[in-house]
Amino acid sequence: MTTTATPTTSAPPPTRRAVSALAEARHLSFWAENAAPIGLVVLVVVFSILSPTFLTLGNIQAMLVAGAILVILAVAQSFVITTGGIDLSISATMTIGAVGFGLAFQAGLPFWPAAVVGVLSATVIGVANGLLIAKGKVTDFIATLGTLGVATGAALILTDGKPISVFSPELLRLTTGKIGFVGYPFVVALVVGVLAWVVMFRTRYGLHVQAVGGSEEASVANGVKAPRVRIAVYVWAAALAGMASLLLVARIGAAEPAINTNYLLNSIAAVVLGGVSLSGGRAKIVGPILGALLLTALSNGLTLLAVSQFYQPLAVGLVVVLAALLTRFQKR
């Protein structure tokens, strides 16, 4: 009795896998998909060659602490942009959160209740954004541009344009505390990133966020309550901005009423670098986090090389434009 051997499939040999990887790297889609990690590696190599202090432990710690706020804002912006929207008020929302915290602390509230007031103050802006866009049918650009102005004006009015100094053991601990060599601010940002990844890719809500961004009509036809999803992403983005405001107050030691537009521009830039489609429906969390770290490393490296502050926005702008061009070649 003769038996016929059944053919077995085996993994391609290493040489074939290497050739396949090289062939993929020839396509612009490869660079578009991996712009943030590739750019970060390139920056680290270049700046470590040009500046001997760039890769020192102290500078790495400083970069992680400095990048924590931008990481949180990039994660927040990722949810909004995945739905096909954009939040131009996010930096002003963070300012309102800082002012709310500062005023509550100044009024005598302990640190944690004051922190809750700060986060809730920021969340109010998110609720307004969500209702204007989902229920009022105002375009996201106009709605968030309007709330940017309202939040900026409110912060200046409430503080009379003066910073509110905050001295608290909890803030000091948040600024100086570490787990290993990683400062508490970046630990907080990392926890936010992990939770955001789980929500986006392991929950029904995250699936609905992506569905609304891909095609709102199709998602509604499949039972998704699109208005609720849109309201929720703006509320959560504002709440995260409120959390980031606590890190900002801890870093500078005061609730500053003046808006910092760099956080707005860089949060959007980090999302673009991270491969999230501005037209919606394409979600990423790790990419925007790496994009935020890339922009932080770029700013830090230019500072170490004594490059004028005037050139740093130019460098960031060029990087973002290049990333935006590459998104045209992303795989669909």
Side-chain angles (χ1 to χ4, degrees), residues 285-300:
I285 297 297
V286 176
I289 291 174
L290 293 177
L293 294 178
L294 184 154
L295 294 174
T296 303
L298 177 61
S299 178
N300 178 272

Side-chain angles (χ1 to χ4, degrees), residues 150-167:
V150 170
T152 301
L156 293 171
I157 292 169
L158 290 171
T159 61
D160 199 24
K162 300 174 183 177
I164 303 171
S165 297
V166 179
F167 300 99

Side-chain angles (χ1 to χ4, degrees), residues 159-316:
T159 61
D160 199 24
K162 300 174 183 177
I164 303 171
S165 297
V166 179
F167 300 99
S168 164
E170 290 85 358
L171 280 181
L172 182 61
R173 195 176 304 118
L174 182 59
T175 306
T176 59
K178 298 176 184 177
I179 295 180
F181 75 93
V182 181
Y184 281 167
F186 191 73
V187 173
V188 172
L190 195 59
V191 170
V192 168
V194 171
L195 292 177
W197 186 91
V198 172
V199 170
M200 182 66 84
F201 299 110
R202 291 293 184 269
T203 68
R204 180 177 296 180
Y205 171 72
L207 180 62
H208 289 176
V209 169
Q210 297 173 62
V212 169
S215 173
E216 183 169 345
E217 293 79 8
S219 67
V220 170
N222 283 279
V224 176
K225 299 184 185 302
R228 291 186 183 180
V229 172
R230 289 197 181 278
I231 292 172
V233 294
Y234 285 98
V235 170
W236 283 115
L240 288 176
M243 185 183 299
S245 72
L246 301 179
L247 299 183
L248 182 62
V249 173
R251 186 179 179 192
I252 65 179
E256 176 62 60
I259 184 175
N260 188 337
T261 55
N262 285 338
Y263 282 118
L264 165 62
L265 301 175
N266 286 352
S267 67
I268 298 173
V271 173
V272 173
L273 285 168
V276 179
S277 173
L278 290 173
S279 60
R282 181 185 180 85
K284 285 191 177 184
I285 297 297
V286 176
I289 291 174
L290 293 177
L293 294 178
L294 184 154
L295 294 174
T296 303
L298 177 61
S299 178
N300 178 272
L302 292 175
T303 300
L304 290 177
L305 295 177
V307 176
S308 171
Q309 292 280 340
F310 299 145
Y311 290 97
Q312 293 188 19
L314 172 65
V316 171

Side-chain angles (χ1 to χ4, degrees), residues 101-147:
F101 167 74
L103 290 174
F105 191 83
Q106 191 180 60
L109 283 181
F111 173 80
W112 290 110
V116 171
V117 171
V119 173
L120 290 177
S121 300
T123 304
V124 169
I125 305 298
V127 173
N129 284 334
L131 291 176
L132 284 170
I133 293 165
K135 299 295 186 179
K137 303 302 180 183
V138 180
T139 60
D140 51 2
F141 185 90
I142 297 299
T144 58
L145 184 63
T147 53

